[in-house]
Amino acid sequence: MTAPVVSIEALSAVSTRDGGAPILRDVSLNLKRGEVHGLVGESGAGKSTIAKALLGILPATVKVTGGRIRFDGRDLLTMASRELRDIMGTEIALIPQDPQTALNPGRRIEAQLTDGLRLKQGLSKQMAHERALALLAEVQIRDPERVLACYPHQLSGGMRQRILIAAAFALGPKLVVADEPTTALDVTVQKEILRLIRRMQDAHGTAVIFVTHDLGVVAQICDSVTLLYAGKVIEAGPTSDVLLRPQHAYTKALIAAGPRYDRPGAGLEPVPDAVFAALRREGGIDSQGAPHDV
Ligand SMILES: Nc1ncnc2c1ncn2[C@@H]1O[C@H](COP(=O)(O)OP(=O)(O)OP(=O)(O)O)[C@@H](O)[C@H]1O
Ligand SMILES: [Mg+2]
């Protein structure tokens, strides 16, 4: 067995903003090389908090109260900030949610794509240019020379997200964190971007944490999945097991509430209140701890 790329062990966190309200409760998960792992749950479940913890950008008002995040044998939570800075962008990279705001509007794509290559890999201007062209070709941008000379506002949202995907994979990271990377895009573009992320991670053998609230997206690109509710892991496992043979009432209700993967066109059912009530009871999640009224 090869060691996992990332291992989150019993991670707990509270908000110092809301009188110590719990955000994560004993969250554990392992991620192997080349695996795409979905983090699923409704708004406030703690998905982005996990993503931020992996990226070393937890807000000051979120306090980790227990657990570890082992990355490549090191604990991200106790690492010196200098070492953390070295890892971020190189060994761990982000595909952001909103390609409109993630690029600097005042700089050409070439400058933004080659900064890391020059700084972290020491490439010359010419070599970084060649590498940027190759990266854009890899994310299927047809006229990379023209695109490198563009400012972000001259490009569509889908094009910008392709560029950000190229940037995320540019330095050969071991882990890519994608936090809802398609929700800001047109529906028609979303599928292409999902396929692109899958193809890139497959070609590079990269592990991906994929944050989404959409089980359809999980079905499409995730090998495995963790379902969160109010900061707690409700169910986890290989995608096919969780989606086709869900064990937990909440998972079953979420699957019933969404489009059917096995029966397209079947009716939608809301998640029944009784399921939420049962969740709170068995998970020890009281109404104060729930992220919002359900
Ligand atoms: N900066 C912060 N300081 C303190 N608490 C925060 C902060 N940001 C978020 N939280 C709390 O952490 C909890 C989890 O939020 P998080 O953003 O991780 O949820 P999420 O699952 O990503 O939701 P969404 O689907 O809306 O993006 C929420 O209860 C939220 O109030
Ligand atoms: Mg979020």
Side-chain angles (χ1 to χ4, degrees), residues 20-21 76 82 111 135 173 182 194-195 197 222 224-225 231 254 256 264 266 292:
L76 288 180
R82 194 204 173 102
L135 280 165
T182 61
L194 287 181
R195 272 200 293 269
I197 294 173
C222 296
S224 53
V225 59
L254 267 191
H292 51 77

Side-chain angles (χ1 to χ4, degrees), residues 15 17-18 23 42-49 59 61-62 180 291:
S15 166
R17 205 175 54 181
D18 309 320
I23 297 177
E42 58 194 78
S43 188
K47 307 180 296 293
S48 293
T49 303
T61 45
V62 173
E180 310 244 22

Side-chain angles (χ1 to χ4, degrees), residues 107-126:
R107 299 181 75 214
R108 292 182 197 274
I109 300 304
E110 168 139 20
Q112 304 194 51
L113 203 50
T114 55
D115 269 355
L117 294 167
R118 300 197 62 191
L119 219 69
K120 303 271 188 180
Q121 294 192 333
L123 299 190
S124 69
K125 195 163 184 221
Q126 185 55 35

Side-chain angles (χ1 to χ4, degrees), residues 51-120:
K52 287 174 188 163
L54 288 166
L55 292 158
I57 53 170
L58 278 177
T61 45
V62 173
K63 185 167 168 266
V64 172
T65 52
R68 295 196 296 183
I69 303 181
R70 295 183 72 78
F71 173 73
D72 224 16
R74 297 159 285 181
D75 185 356
L76 288 180
L77 295 174
T78 56
M79 194 177 276
S81 55
R82 194 204 173 102
E83 194 181 351
L84 207 57
R85 263 203 312 278
D86 281 346
I87 288 182
M88 295 305 157
T90 52
E91 294 183 60
I92 300 179
L94 168 71
I95 301 173
Q97 177 168 10
D98 188 357
Q100 318 299 342
T101 53
L103 287 161
N104 181 338
R107 299 181 75 214
R108 292 182 197 274
I109 300 304
E110 168 139 20
Q112 304 194 51
L113 203 50
T114 55
D115 269 355
L117 294 167
R118 300 197 62 191
L119 219 69
K120 303 271 188 180

